[in-house]
């Protein structure tokens, strides 16, 4: 388990992080989201030891992280950092060997990852000859090739086409399922929503929300419902405890203050005629993000 506790960082007189605290739990995918300049990359660099916090600490299983611990990390920076004039397969083997793997293990890991990430046919290509999307997948392979115990990924889905996104999501999900804590940042909230178990939202260097995906849905959004029935549905907004969000012929989307209020809508609709459907809507991560950062 990875703990970030009360971390603060300033660049000169400008505060970049203020009392940042959250936990990345073993075997769970933690999405780290925020606007450009919110503090995501600075936080990740502090976790990796690239930057030193002014105050606060990073812990692994309750103990301060050491240089030796950080050798167990897999890190993918937002900026591409591979050697452009080196062959892809050779580079992965080289990086694995730097982390202490035997040549045989390094070659086996490299071959397996390139196959899983759809890059097996690119093993002998120079990195600079790869497309931008393939370079991104190569970066992910470089972060995983030494069998790290912790994974920190900065914008791993940037530049990937939909098929590549699905491939990478599968690899990362399997990695977390093996028991490792995984922290990843992304601007693509739809991907974060599908992939993460836990969510950390940062804005202006401060944590604005932190918890499980479903817990945050319950915490930051009022219950919202959709009812479909023939005819005009504007009457829904006249009922007590109901706020009408959207209405159209045959459709009403509304928020309810209580369960009784939502059931009152259904009861009135049935009294008026047939009901085609009645369901509770799940608030999107985008709507939660907008609410907590405003």
């Amino acid at each position: 388990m990875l703990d970030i506790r009360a971390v603060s960082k300033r660049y000169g007189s400008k505060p970049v992080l203020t009392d940042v605290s959250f936990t990345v739990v073993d075997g769970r995918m933690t999405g780290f989201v925020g606007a450009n300049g919110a503090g995501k990359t600075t936080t990740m660099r502090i976790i990796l030891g690239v930057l030193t916090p002014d105050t606060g600490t990073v812990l692994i299983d309750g103990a301060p992280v050491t240089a030796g611990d950080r050798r167990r990390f897999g890190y993918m920076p937002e900026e591409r950092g591979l050697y452009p004039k080196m062959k892809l397969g050779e580079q992965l083997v080289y990086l694995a060997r730097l982390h202490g793997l035997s040549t045989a293990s390094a070659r086996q890991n490299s071959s397996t990852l390139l196959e899983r990430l759809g890059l097996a046919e690119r093993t002998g290509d120079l990195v600079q000859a790869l497309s931008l999307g393939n370079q991104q997948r190569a970066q992910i392979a470089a972060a995983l090739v030494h069998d790290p115990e912790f994974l920190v990924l900065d914008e791993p889905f940037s530049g990937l086409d939909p098929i590549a996104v699905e491939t990478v999501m599968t690899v990362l999900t399997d990695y977390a399922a093996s028991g490792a804590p995984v922290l990843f940042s992304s601007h693509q909230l739809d991907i974060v929503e599908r992939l993460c178990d836990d969510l950390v939202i940062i804005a202006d260097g401060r944590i604005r929300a932190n918890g499980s995906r479903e817990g945050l849905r319950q915490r930051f959004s009022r219950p919202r419902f959709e009812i479909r029935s023939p005819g005009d549905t504007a009457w829904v907004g006249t009922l007590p405890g109901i706020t009408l969000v959207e209405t159209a012929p045959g459709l009403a989307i509304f928020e309810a203050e209580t369960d009784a209020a939502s059931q009152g809508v259904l009861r009135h609709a049935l009294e008026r005629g047939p009901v085609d459907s009645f369901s509770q809507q799940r608030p999107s991560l985008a709507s939660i993000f907008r609410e907590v950062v405003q």
Side-chain angles (χ1 to χ4, degrees), residues 193 213-214 217 224 280-284:
E193 188 160 20
R213 179 181 56 192
E214 297 308 317
R217 278 197 173 111
R224 182 172 289 191
Q280 184 170 356
Q281 290 189 331
R282 291 161 55 87
S284 68

Side-chain angles (χ1 to χ4, degrees), residues 109-152:
N109 284 10
S110 298
S111 177
T112 299
L113 277 169
L114 291 176
E115 182 70 35
R116 292 202 66 193
L117 290 166
L119 293 173
E121 296 181 357
R122 305 295 183 185
T123 301
D125 291 359
L126 299 181
V127 170
Q128 67 183 11
L130 300 175
S131 67
L132 294 180
N134 283 341
Q135 288 185 30
Q136 187 77 349
R137 283 189 276 183
Q139 289 269 143
I140 294 167
L144 291 168
V145 71
H146 58 288
D147 292 326
E149 298 177 30
F150 305 87
L151 196 57
V152 179

Side-chain angles (χ1 to χ4, degrees), residues 7 59 85 89 92 107 116 170 273:
V7 166
L59 306 174
K85 297 184 182 299
L92 293 181
R107 288 174 176 167
R116 292 202 66 193
T170 299

Side-chain angles (χ1 to χ4, degrees), residues 10 31 57 67 77 90 98 103 145 156 159 165 197 207 209-210 214 230 235 252 256:
R10 302 177 71 91
T57 187
E90 292 177 357
L98 286 179
T103 300
V145 71
V165 166
D197 301 299
I207 301 300
N210 177 19
E214 297 308 317
W235 58 268

Side-chain angles (χ1 to χ4, degrees), residues 29 49 56-57 75 85 99 124 176 197 247 267 275 286:
M29 302 281 293
T57 187
Y75 176 50
K85 297 184 182 299
H99 280 86
D197 301 299
T247 184
R267 185 174 61 255
V275 172

Side-chain angles (χ1 to χ4, degrees), residues 6 15 32 43 53 57 62 72-73 85 120-121 149 157 160 188 191 202 224 226 229-230 232 252 275 294:
F32 193 27
T43 302
T57 187
R72 299 151 56 196
F73 280 69
K85 297 184 182 299
E121 296 181 357
E149 298 177 30
F157 301 100
L160 296 181
Q188 295 157 278
I191 295 175
I202 188 170
R224 182 172 289 191
E226 176 185 288
S229 61
D232 179 40
V275 172
Q294 288 177 348

Side-chain angles (χ1 to χ4, degrees), residues 9-11 14-18 20 37-39 42 202 204-206:
K9 179 71 176 177
R10 302 177 71 91
Y11 292 140
K14 177 179 174 58
V16 179
L17 299 176
T18 304
V20 167
T42 298
I202 188 170
D204 299 322
R206 297 177 182 270

Side-chain angles (χ1 to χ4, degrees), residues 251-287:
L251 168 69
I253 297 173
F254 62 92
E255 293 179 346
E257 295 179 2
T258 64
D259 290 340
S262 65
Q263 292 302 309
V265 172
L266 178 59
R267 185 174 61 255
H268 279 76
L270 289 170
E271 291 172 354
R272 298 170 69 94
V275 172
D276 297 326
S277 66
F278 179 78
S279 61
Q280 184 170 356
Q281 290 189 331
R282 291 161 55 87
S284 68
L285 174 55
S287 66

